[in-house]
Structure formats: C-alpha cells, structure tokens
C-alpha cells in the first residue's frame, strides 16, 4: 500500500476539539494541497504528521508501515520533511551553505565516523543540484536571499531522504519569478517520486501546481478531490462553508474632502510604490493575506522603515523620514504586535495612555500628576477599560483592554489619520465590538481611518472603501456595500490576474 | 475574567521579602556589626561610611541612567580614574584654579559618554562590548598620560624641578570639608540623589528615559526620539563618573592612577541591588542609594573585622546575586 495515510485523526487542546476525525491521503509522487481558513486545523494536522504534536486518536501509515511519532526525529526517520514558513528558524545563519545542508547528517552520525569535509561538500553539491541552485558552497547563510534559503532548507530536507515534504506557505514571500522557479523544482522532484503537501492561501498557485486538494473546515475534511476539476470559487465556498450574504449595512456618510493622501509611497520590502487617498471621515480597509505587505505599507506611512514618497495631510505636503515627524504631523499608528510595539507592559495604564500627552500635562517639564490622573481616568471611562484604575499595570490586562490602551494613547492627540494594523488580533468578540465602535466614532469626528486586516469579514462590517493588497500593491478597489467576502478572498488569493473572465471578476468590474 | 487582577497584592512573607529584603539586609548587617564591633556604632565611623558611599553612589547613579534606557556602561571605572588624574594634573602640573580644575574632568566625562553613544547608537555595537572597549582605551589614556606615576603635591618633575602647583584648599573641601558637621561630599551626594530622583520620577524627560528602556520599539512608534534619550543617558553616566572622580581626588589629595577601577563593580552592584528596593523591579535612584549604603556598611564592617580586601569581593558577589535573584524571581 503506497502513499501516506492519516486515518481518523482526533486532536483537542483542553476542551476544544481542533481535529474531529480527519482522513488525509497523499499519493506517491503528487502535489497535494491542504486548504482551509485560519483555525480550520491545517497546522495542527501537519504538526501531528511532523511529530511536533501527538494525536489523541488515529493512525499514520506510510508506504504500508504504521507509525506513531513521539518526536520530530521519529517523523524525519519515517521520511517526512518539513519546509517551514519561517525558513530562518531552520538554518544556522553564520555557517556556510554546505554545512547547513549536511547538518542533520552530522547530528545523526552517532557511531559511524563523521563525513570528511570533502564528502560533506560533495553531498551538499549533489543536493543543491537537485533543487536547481548553484551557489558557492562557502557562502554564509546570512548573505543568501530568502528564496535561496528556502531551497537550501528543501535540500536539507532531501538530505534526510524525505519522501513526503510539507511546504508551509512556500511562496508567501517570493516574487513571481522565484515562484515559477520553485514550481519547476517541485515538478522535477515529483517526477522522482517525492510527494508534497502544499499549504497555501494563494489559490491561483494551488490550481497551477497541485494535483489534488483536501479542504479542511472546523476540523473536518469537507472536500477532497482533483485540483483540476475544482474552480477557485468552489475552493473558497468549501473553505468558508456558508455563502456569505451581501453586506446589508447602511452606507456611512463621509465628506468629499481628501484628508490624507500618499503618492508614490515606496515599500522597501516588496520594492513597490502605493498611492492612496482617504477622505475626511472615511474608513478605508486594506484586505490582504499574511505576507501581502500590509504591515510594511503601514510602517512606510509612519516612516518607521526606510521609505520615500509624498504625504499630504489636509492638502499640506510632507516628506517624512522618521516616525517622530509623521506623528508630529498627525499620523496615529496602532501596530499589529501590540505587546512588542504598542505597549509599555510593566508600566501603568496611566503612563501608557498619556505618553503622547505629556507636553500638555507638564509645566516646565514637571508632570502635573493630578491632571495626568484626570486625563487617564477620562480616557479609561471613554474606552471602558477594565479594570477602571489608572494605576493598573498593563501586562495584567486582557488582550482587548490592552488594545484599548494602545488606541487610547492617540485619542486626545488631535491626530488626523489613524492607521490600524490587525487591531482585533487575539481579542474576544466583545472587545472587538468595542474597538469597532471606537473606530466608527473616530471616523464620525472626521478622522481619516485606514484599517488593515486579513480577516475580511471585518472589513465588510467596518470599512467604507476596501482595497485588496497583494505583493505590496493595491490591486483592486471596492465600495464596501457592493462587494462580497468571496470577492475579497478571490482577489487577494491571486485570482483575477491575467484578465480572468469569470463571474466574480465581472461582478467586480460592474460594481 | 478580570476578577483575579482586582484582588489586592498578597501579603505573604515572601512578598515582604521581595519588597523589603534589601532594607532588611542593611538593618541586619548594622545590628550585627554594632553588637560585635565596639567602634562600629560611632559618629566618626558613620562619617567614614557615608564619605566612602558618596563616591560609589555618584558613579552608581550614572550607571542607573544607562540601565534605565536598557543599556550598560562599563567604562565608568576608567572615567573615574581619568577624572581623578585630570583634576590632579590641572592643580599640580598646571596651577589652575578651582573652575578649570572642575571643568576639565567633567568635560572629559561628557566626551567619553558621547563616544560611547556614538559606538552604541551610530555604529550599533552591543553596549557591553562598546563600553568595554572604551573602558580599556580610557584606562590606557590615563596611564599613558601619567606614565604610571601618581600626581601629588611637590612631586619631582623630569626636568629636575618640582611641580609648580598643589591641591588648593577649595578643591580639598569637596572631599574633606564639612558643613554643619556633615561632610560636603555627603551633602553633594544627597543633593544629586534628590535631584535625579525627582527628575526621573516627576518630569517629562524622566518618564521618557524610562519608556525608552522599557520598550524601545513601542517608544519609537509613539514618536519618542529614543536615540536622543539613549545618548543623553550615556553622557549623564560619563558626567557622574567624572564627578565621582573629582570627589575621589579631593578626598585622597593625590591623583592616583587607576584609582577608579574598583568603583565600576561597586557601582554596578549598587544599581542592581537598587532594583529590589521597595520591589521596584527597575533601575531607580533611591534604590541605588540603598544599594551603595549596603555595600558601604558591609565593607566598613568587614574591614574592621580584619577581613582582607580580596575576600570582601566574595561577600560583594554573594550580595549581588541575592539582590538579582530577589528582583528576578519577583518579575515572574
């Protein structure tokens, strides 16, 4: 019985079932896509296969032999390879290419003598050839590009003679040319009998490279079949399950006056430029998958990373070279990594809330404690921060309340532009509702709001205008009241490129 | 969901130890020495202890500033030495009056702080390594300048004559004088402690120093000029080390080479012990003062008990480990 079978896999974390009897079958020499929304159970299933987690129930059979993995090393021995999304975590940055590739051989060489340097290099060269990479063997990993690193990890996986290789979002950070090259290598290896499990949100690529597809939803396999017979629209509808209703929310009124504009704003990471206008009181949403460049875009607007371009706030032109300048001109930024980038965790709520207000609260540089306390108390009440004490330490607050503190520090600063990067990440539904109402009230006061997220339903709920972002570019613009969830997924996952002519695309054009 | 965080801080013995362990240690040490040593609990001896503490405290306050911005300054010991030599040289070799004698070492301290911040902020060297390099270089500079010899009144010069200047009374007053029965250096220390404490706790720049150290990325994204504050911190560190060097030169009345070396570890220990005072869990000036009191009292008592100076380092190390453990366990 050849092929890889995972049968009736059950897994729960505490009381929360994540996998509810999943059957997953990969044939020899095929590329098999594993699809699903965030939280569908893909990662858990793959962690079980890679020996990172063990299942509560279920069996794993590989080419006729039964396995029960208790560590990643077990899985490796059985022929499972994993190319993680963050390739840097799998490499030693200061060691040369060849030593990285044969690292596992060296680690596993318990009794047999170590490979000589010459043998190591020969081995590495052979493997590099297999993944189509020609590199000086002595090049240190830290000087390699991301694409090269990925292929080196692949070579490393092949060196442990893996027959089933998991690729986790392999193209998230690759350019189109690099993606094409990767696909070629996948095809070559496939011809040699290697199987791939391909995890991706980019459905267009899935159509292009994958033979078969398994779709997970809420821990259950909802579809399994040939990739060729499944359209991107069908994939989406399997992934999200119910068909989302067209958004019925009332159209918000906002001014025609442009409050904020960037022209030719350069995003260093993707080497693209972006133009964007936000009107007074308008909430503009940016829909994009992880790796689409949203955070880089936001940090470029704040000039927190190297960038160039022109900024206009209420018609006045600026060129910023530091966050300090951007903030002084009225840009407020609520970063994605709240604990790392937005909070002073061991300080009090009061200290966190008043960091931007100190010039107003200080006389001759002396902070007027009483006034500061009042301002903090007032913000706590407006934002309904719990516990409602200015002296509470921020790290003891829940995620939602922490987020309110991050937003709160900007509320009284007279900023004109608010940028939210994934503001609902890791907060519960009530806090989300409250964050939304804060955002709406900001817009109602005439602020320009930019809202970036990979949770597209949120954009339909809150935004007036939605742009789809992919590879560092804004590729589509929709009015929120006429677009659908499927459309946003379709375009952000790479659909509609090359002048595709299907129903969703036509809808987009007409709207 | 939030009920647990509303409950008041637990009043367990362990918590008491976290908060007041350091003060308790000082108290116990004083009681012990008072009972075992006849001459410990005397006015003269306490004057001695305070005088020796004053220099350590000045140096340790500088270190506290560098710790507040999440940095580190290993070069303070060398800066103390250089400042000692510089003020002695100004007085003895160049016959300068009090103004220049104070200005030169302080400017040198500021220059060393600037150099450190250049290495750490512009060249992005790790703070420990950059200040380690500065420590060596500055120590080398003061040794080269003096060719390894101390500078003292009426010292013979290479050309056959004697040095033209001497330690003038106004300079000696800094380390040896008294106002109303209290040593001037102690008054100076208390003044600096009060001023820096108020500055760090109650003013806007003080707040921003702390925020820069607490989370540099968040501070930057909130528009705080973090690199400017880090630069200030190293300059302040250099300044206070130089001030400590001046007090040292005045107290011993000569310019001894490498006299400041021991102040680095004592200062670092005082600042870190300060983390645990009142359970602050972060660098703070009042804690630093108590840290150097603990070290000063211990050293004084041990010396009176005839414990050799090299064995005293073992006790210092043990105290530092204890204080670090107190503040780190508490963090978790």
């Amino acid at each position: 019985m050849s092929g890889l079978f995972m049968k009736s896999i059950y897994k729960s974390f505490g009381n929360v079932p994540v996998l509810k009897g999943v059957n997953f079958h990969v044939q020899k020499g095929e590329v098999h896509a594993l699809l699903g929304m965030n939280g569908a159970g893909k990662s858990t299933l793959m962690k079980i296969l890679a020996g990172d987690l063990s299942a509560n129930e279920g069996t794993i059979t590989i080419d006729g032999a039964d396995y029960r993995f208790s560590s990643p090393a077990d899985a490796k021995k059985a022929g499972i390879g994993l190319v993680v999304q963050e390739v840097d975590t799998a490499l030693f940055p200061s060691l040369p290419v060849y030593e990285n590739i044969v690292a596992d051989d060296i680690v596993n060489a318990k009794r047999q003598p170590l490979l000589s340097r010459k043998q190591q290099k020969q081995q590495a060269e052979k493997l590099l050839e297999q993944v189509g990479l020609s590199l000086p063997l002595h090049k240190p990993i830290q000087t390699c590009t991301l694409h090269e690193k990925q292929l080196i990890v692949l070579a490393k996986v092949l060196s442990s003679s893996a027959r089933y290789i998991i690729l986790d979002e392999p193209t998230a950070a690759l350019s189109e040319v690099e993606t094409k090259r990767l696909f070629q290598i996948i095809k070559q290896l496939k011809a040699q009998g290697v199987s791939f499990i391909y995890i991706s949100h980019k459905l267009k690529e899935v159509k292009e490279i994958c033979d078969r597809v398994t779709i997970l939803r809420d821990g259950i396999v909802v579809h399994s079949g040939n990739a060729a017979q499944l359209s991107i629209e069908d994939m989406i509808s399997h992934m999200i399950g119910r068909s989302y209703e067209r958004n019925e929310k009332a159209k918000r009124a906002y001014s025609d006056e442009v409050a904020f504009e960037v022209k030719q704003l350069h995003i260093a990471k993707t080497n693209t430029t972006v133009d964007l206008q936000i009107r007074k009181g308008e909430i503009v949403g940016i829909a994009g998958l992880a790796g689409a460049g949203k955070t880089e875009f936001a940090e470029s607007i704040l000039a927190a990373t190297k960038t160039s371009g022109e900024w206009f706030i209420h018609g006045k032109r600026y060129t910023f070279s530091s966050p300090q300048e951007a903030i002084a001109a009225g840009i407020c930024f609520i970063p994605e990594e709240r604990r790392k980038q937005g909070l002073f965790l061991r300080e009090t709520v009061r200290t966190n809330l008043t960091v931007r207000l100190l010039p107003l609260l200080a006389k001759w540089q002396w902070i007027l404690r009483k006034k500061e306390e009042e301002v903090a108390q007032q913000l706590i009440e407006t934002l309904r921060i719990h516990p409602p004490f200015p002296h509470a330490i921020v790290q003891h607050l829940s995620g939602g309340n922490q987020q309110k503190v991050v937003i709160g520090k900007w509320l009284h600063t007279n900023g004109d532009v608010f940028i939210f990067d994934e503001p609902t990440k890791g907060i519960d539904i009530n806090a989300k509702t409250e964050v939304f109402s804060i955002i709406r009230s900001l817009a109602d006061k005439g602020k320009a709001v930019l809202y970036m997220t990979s949770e597209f339903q949120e954009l339909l709920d809150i935004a007036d205008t939605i742009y789809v972002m992919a590879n560092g570019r804004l590729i589509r613009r929709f009015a929120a009241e006429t677009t659908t969830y499927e459309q946003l997924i379709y375009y952000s996952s790479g659909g509609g490129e090359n002048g595709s002519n299907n129903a969703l695309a036509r809808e987009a054009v007409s709207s | 969901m939030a009920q647990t965080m509303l409950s008041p801080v637990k009043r367990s013995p362990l918590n008491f130890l976290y908060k007041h362990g350091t003060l308790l240690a000082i108290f116990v040490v004083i009681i012990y020495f008072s009972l075992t040593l006849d001459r410990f609990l005397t006015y003269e001896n306490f004057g001695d202890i305070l005088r020796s503490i004053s220099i350590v405290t000045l140096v340790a306050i500088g270190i506290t500033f560098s710790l507040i911005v999440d940095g580190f300054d290993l070069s303070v010991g060398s800066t103390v030495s250089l400042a000692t030599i510089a003020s002695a040289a100004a007085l003895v070799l160049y016959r300068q009056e009090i103004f220049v004698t104070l200005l030169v070492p302080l400017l040198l301290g500021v220059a060393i702080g600037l150099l450190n911040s250049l290495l750490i902020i512009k060249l992005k060297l790790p703070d420990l390594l950059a200040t380690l390099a500065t420590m060596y270089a500055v120590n080398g500079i003061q040794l080269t300048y003096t060719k390894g010899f101390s500078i003292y009144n009426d010292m013979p010069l290479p050309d056959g004559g004697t040095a033209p200047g001497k330690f003038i009374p106004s300079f000696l007053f800094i380390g040896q004088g008294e106002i109303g029965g209290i040593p001037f250096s102690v008054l100076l220390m208390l003044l600096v402690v009060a001023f820096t404490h108020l500055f760090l706790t109650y003013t806007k720049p003080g707040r921003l120093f702390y925020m820069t150290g607490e989370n540099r990325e968040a501070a930057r994204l909130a528009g705080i000029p973090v690199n400017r504050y880090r630069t200030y911190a190293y300059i302040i560190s250099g300044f206070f080390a130089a001030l400590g060097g001046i007090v040292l030169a005045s107290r011993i009345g000569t310019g001894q080479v490498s006299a400041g070396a021991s102040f680095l570890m004592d200062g670092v220990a005082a600042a870190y012990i300060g983390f645990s005072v009142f359970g602050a869990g972060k660098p703070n000036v009042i804690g630093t003062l108590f840290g150097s009191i603990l070290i000063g009292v211990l050293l004084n008592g041990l010396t009176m008990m005839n414990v050799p100076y090299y064995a005293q380092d073992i006790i210092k190390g043990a105290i530092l480990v204890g204080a670090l453990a107190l503040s780190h366990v508490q963090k978790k």
Side-chain angles (χ1 to χ4, degrees):
Chain A
M1 198 167 66
S2 102
L4 177 150
F5 295 86
M6 296 178 81
K7 277 193 196 142
S8 315
I9 304 286
Y10 287 85
K11 176 74 187 173
S12 43
F13 295 110
N15 291 327
V16 186
V18 178
L19 298 176
K20 309 166 195 165
V22 169
N23 293 309
F24 183 56
H25 168 44
V26 180
Q27 289 166 5
K28 224 172 164 43
E30 73 165 349
V31 181
H32 194 120
L34 182 61
L35 305 179
M37 304 299 290
N38 294 335
K42 294 178 309 231
S43 314
T44 309
L45 186 67
M46 287 302 104
K47 277 184 183 161
I48 289 169
L49 183 58
D52 235 5
L53 289 174
S54 56
N56 299 126
E57 273 177 60
T59 56
I60 300 174
T61 311
I62 300 171
D63 296 339
D66 285 343
Y67 289 96
R68 186 156 193 94
F69 302 142
S70 54
S71 75
D74 286 354
K76 217 181 245 179
K77 266 182 230 155
I80 306 292
L82 172 63
V83 178
V84 291
Q85 190 179 349
E86 311 270 330
V87 286
D88 285 311
T89 59
L91 296 169
F92 304 98
S94 60
L95 295 184
V97 169
Y98 76 94
E99 284 190 29
N100 267 282
I101 294 175
V102 298
D104 287 346
D105 291 349
I106 295 172
V107 172
N108 293 329
K110 272 191 190 141
R111 295 226 168 70
Q112 77 220 46
L114 277 178
L115 291 173
S116 73
R117 225 153 253 270
K118 202 172 154 200
Q119 283 170 317
Q120 288 180 17
K121 283 181 192 166
Q122 278 169 353
Q123 169 89 354
E125 201 147 17
K126 203 179 79 196
L127 289 161
L128 278 180
E129 204 176 314
Q130 252 185 309
V131 298
L133 200 59
S134 64
L135 271 178
L137 290 174
H138 279 285
K139 194 173 172 173
I141 289 293
Q142 59 207 357
T143 61
C144 294
T145 67
L146 195 70
H147 175 58
E148 287 168 348
K149 286 184 202 163
Q150 201 171 44
L151 292 178
I152 289 164
V153 174
L154 187 57
K156 189 176 164 179
V157 165
L158 289 172
S159 87
S160 59
S161 55
R163 290 161 294 157
Y164 296 91
I165 297 177
I166 304 164
L167 300 174
D168 189 3
E169 295 279 356
T171 60
L174 297 188
S175 72
E176 262 173 64
V177 182
E178 289 168 336
T179 303
K180 290 272 176 295
R181 272 170 58 193
L182 178 70
F183 285 0
Q184 255 169 14
I185 292 152
I186 291 177
K187 280 175 194 157
Q188 280 166 19
L189 290 169
K190 192 172 93 170
Q192 295 165 23
V194 177
S195 309
F196 289 92
I197 299 164
Y198 192 96
I199 302 173
S200 179
H201 283 107
K202 298 191 178 175
L203 301 178
K204 185 173 161 259
E205 293 175 6
V206 168
K207 285 279 290 177
E208 191 180 332
I209 188 73
C210 295
D211 304 301
R212 292 202 308 139
V213 181
T214 294
I215 301 176
L216 280 179
R217 187 172 74 231
D218 298 331
I220 296 169
V221 173
V222 289
H223 180 88
S224 194
N226 283 335
Q229 292 157 7
L230 198 63
S231 68
I232 292 182
E233 290 87 340
D234 289 340
M235 288 183 195
I236 293 171
S237 71
H238 281 305
M239 278 159 61
I240 56 184
R242 61 205 156 100
S243 170
Y244 272 75
E245 292 298 309
R246 203 173 262 284
N247 215 24
E248 295 296 341
K249 112 186 141 173
K251 194 176 165 163
R252 272 184 70 252
Y254 53 87
S255 147
D256 281 338
E257 183 193 331
V258 175
F260 178 66
E261 186 174 5
V262 285
K263 279 188 188 161
Q264 295 289 305
L265 182 75
H266 186 246
I267 302 175
K269 198 183 165 208
T270 49
N271 196 21
T272 50
T273 58
V274 174
D275 294 85
L276 180 72
Q277 281 189 343
I278 309 176
R279 278 154 228 291
K280 211 174 151 182
E282 184 183 24
I283 303 175
V284 170
I286 306 279
L289 301 171
K294 300 185 302 290
T295 296
E296 291 77 10
F297 179 34
E299 292 185 349
S300 297
I301 295 178
L302 197 74
T305 55
K306 216 171 155 40
T307 184
S308 62
E310 290 177 282
W311 288 253
F312 296 87
I313 300 175
H314 290 301
K316 188 160 184 264
R317 181 179 175 277
Y318 296 90
T319 51
F320 300 131
S321 58
S322 75
Q324 223 184 312
E325 292 168 19
I327 289 164
I331 297 180
C332 308
F333 178 48
I334 291 83
E336 179 180 6
E337 300 282 342
R338 151 170 85 234
R339 296 170 70 89
K340 257 197 262 167
Q341 301 176 299
L343 291 168
F344 304 94
L345 284 170
R346 285 162 55 210
E347 300 285 346
T348 59
V349 169
R350 180 197 68 213
T351 309
N352 271 277
L353 282 174
T354 57
V355 58
R356 287 301 311 164
L357 305 171
L358 290 181
L360 306 173
L361 298 173
K363 197 172 184 188
W364 303 104
Q365 304 291 331
W366 189 269
I367 298 170
L368 308 168
R369 277 284 169 112
K370 221 171 151 192
K371 210 166 151 194
E372 189 193 9
E373 200 87 8
E374 280 168 20
V375 168
Q377 192 67 52
Q378 200 188 334
L379 278 166
I380 287 169
E381 277 159 27
T382 314
L383 296 165
R384 285 193 273 162
I385 292 169
H386 188 88
F389 311 130
H391 58 263
I393 302 293
V394 166
Q395 67 180 348
H396 298 151
L397 266 56
S398 69
N401 284 297
Q402 286 182 346
Q403 187 64 297
K404 289 190 229 166
V405 173
V406 178
I407 300 173
K409 80 167 162 240
W410 300 107
L411 275 194
H412 287 190
T413 60
N414 282 327
D416 297 306
V417 186
F418 280 74
I419 305 168
F420 293 86
D421 190 6
E422 303 275 6
T424 61
K425 200 170 159 184
I427 70 177
D428 65 33
I429 183 82
N430 289 327
K432 192 165 133 179
T433 314
E434 287 180 316
V435 167
F436 276 15
S437 77
I438 295 165
I439 293 173
R440 277 203 197 91
S441 76
L442 282 170
D444 290 341
K445 280 186 208 135
K447 312 286 187 193
V449 177
L450 188 59
Y451 188 104
M452 317 203 167
T453 184
S454 52
E455 304 284 339
F456 299 159
Q457 186 57 44
E458 290 180 359
L459 292 179
L460 298 172
D461 292 341
I462 186 118
D464 303 313
T465 310
I466 302 173
Y467 288 85
V468 171
M469 184 161 215
N471 298 323
R473 289 195 175 83
L474 298 180
I475 53 173
R476 292 268 164 176
R477 179 180 189 274
F478 300 101
E481 65 273 10
T482 56
T483 189
T484 61
Y485 187 72
E486 284 88 344
Q487 257 184 348
L488 295 179
I489 296 225
Y490 181 79
Y491 286 103
S492 55
S493 55
E497 286 167 24
N498 313 325
S500 149
N501 195 25
N502 56 60
L504 280 172
R506 277 198 301 280
E507 222 175 317
V509 173
S510 66
S511 66
Chain B
M1 132 194 113
Q3 294 313 315
T4 49
M5 23 191 224
L6 294 178
S7 66
V9 181
K10 275 173 275 168
R11 284 176 200 282
S12 70
L14 211 57
N15 249 311
F16 179 83
L17 196 65
Y18 290 149
K19 275 207 139 146
H20 304 293
T22 314
L23 293 186
L24 202 67
I26 294 177
F27 193 65
V28 168
V29 165
I30 290 180
I31 297 280
Y32 176 77
F33 285 143
S34 309
L35 294 178
T36 52
L37 297 166
D38 294 340
R39 290 162 297 125
F40 182 77
L41 203 61
T42 59
Y43 179 76
E44 288 76 26
N45 191 41
F46 268 74
D48 264 1
I49 294 177
L50 284 173
R51 252 188 267 258
S52 66
I53 284 172
S54 62
I55 302 172
V56 175
T57 307
L58 289 175
V59 176
I61 286 173
I63 295 174
T64 306
F65 268 87
S66 67
L67 291 177
I68 286 173
V69 297
D70 193 26
F72 204 89
D73 191 351
L74 279 176
S75 66
V76 289
S78 296
T79 308
V80 171
S81 302
L82 183 67
T84 308
I85 294 299
S87 46
L91 289 169
V92 175
L93 301 180
Y94 295 98
R95 281 194 69 171
Q96 293 300 321
E97 290 303 315
I98 189 76
F99 179 71
V100 174
T101 308
L102 297 182
L103 190 66
V104 170
L106 291 177
L107 284 181
L108 284 172
V110 167
I112 293 168
L114 267 174
L115 173 70
N116 281 331
S117 49
L118 179 81
L119 297 177
I120 294 164
I121 292 153
K122 286 280 178 236
L123 298 184
K124 299 195 165 52
L125 302 183
D127 43 26
L128 271 172
L129 301 181
T131 55
L132 182 71
T134 312
M135 173 183 110
Y136 275 105
V138 171
N139 192 46
I141 289 171
Q142 57 102 14
L143 280 171
T144 310
Y145 178 74
T146 57
K147 300 189 180 66
F149 296 110
S150 295
I151 297 173
Y152 47 91
N153 283 348
D154 304 322
M155 66 189 281
L157 293 177
D159 60 14
T162 52
K166 62 183 183 61
F167 277 81
I168 53 180
S170 57
F171 183 77
L172 291 174
F173 183 78
I174 299 170
Q176 300 175 4
E178 291 184 359
I179 294 178
I182 304 170
F184 178 76
S185 60
V186 174
L187 287 175
L188 179 69
M189 170 192 83
L190 291 176
L191 194 73
V192 169
V193 166
F195 181 78
T196 50
H197 171 69
L198 294 177
F199 173 78
L200 284 169
T201 321
Y202 295 103
T203 71
K204 180 186 152 217
R207 178 79 63 83
L208 298 185
F209 270 114
Y210 271 111
M211 302 198 110
T212 298
E214 170 94 32
N215 187 340
R216 196 182 305 158
E217 178 65 0
R220 191 176 76 97
L221 293 178
I224 297 172
V226 289
N227 286 342
R228 199 183 304 164
Y229 278 96
R230 293 169 72 205
T231 307
Y232 291 156
Y234 286 105
I235 290 176
I236 291 170
S237 178
F239 178 86
F240 281 125
L243 191 58
I246 289 172
V247 177
L248 179 64
S250 162
R251 182 155 174 244
I252 55 184
T254 55
Q256 277 186 22
V257 287
S258 302
S262 71
F263 289 98
L264 168 63
M265 283 331 286
D266 289 0
V268 169
Y272 271 111
I273 291 170
F275 277 46
S276 62
V277 175
F278 302 128
K282 53 186 180 188
N284 67 99
V285 170
I286 297 296
T288 300
L289 173 64
F290 280 108
S292 73
I293 288 176
L294 177 59
I295 293 176
V297 170
L298 257 179
L299 292 191
N300 180 276
L302 292 172
T303 310
M304 290 175 87
M305 287 172 81
N306 290 325
V307 176
Y309 71 92
Y310 39 84
Q312 293 179 2
D313 280 357
I314 302 174
I315 313 272
K316 272 195 244 172
I319 292 282
L320 181 55
V321 168
L324 287 177
L326 273 185
S327 57
H328 275 259
V329 170
Q330 184 193 22
K331 247 186 238 172
K332 285 178 188 163

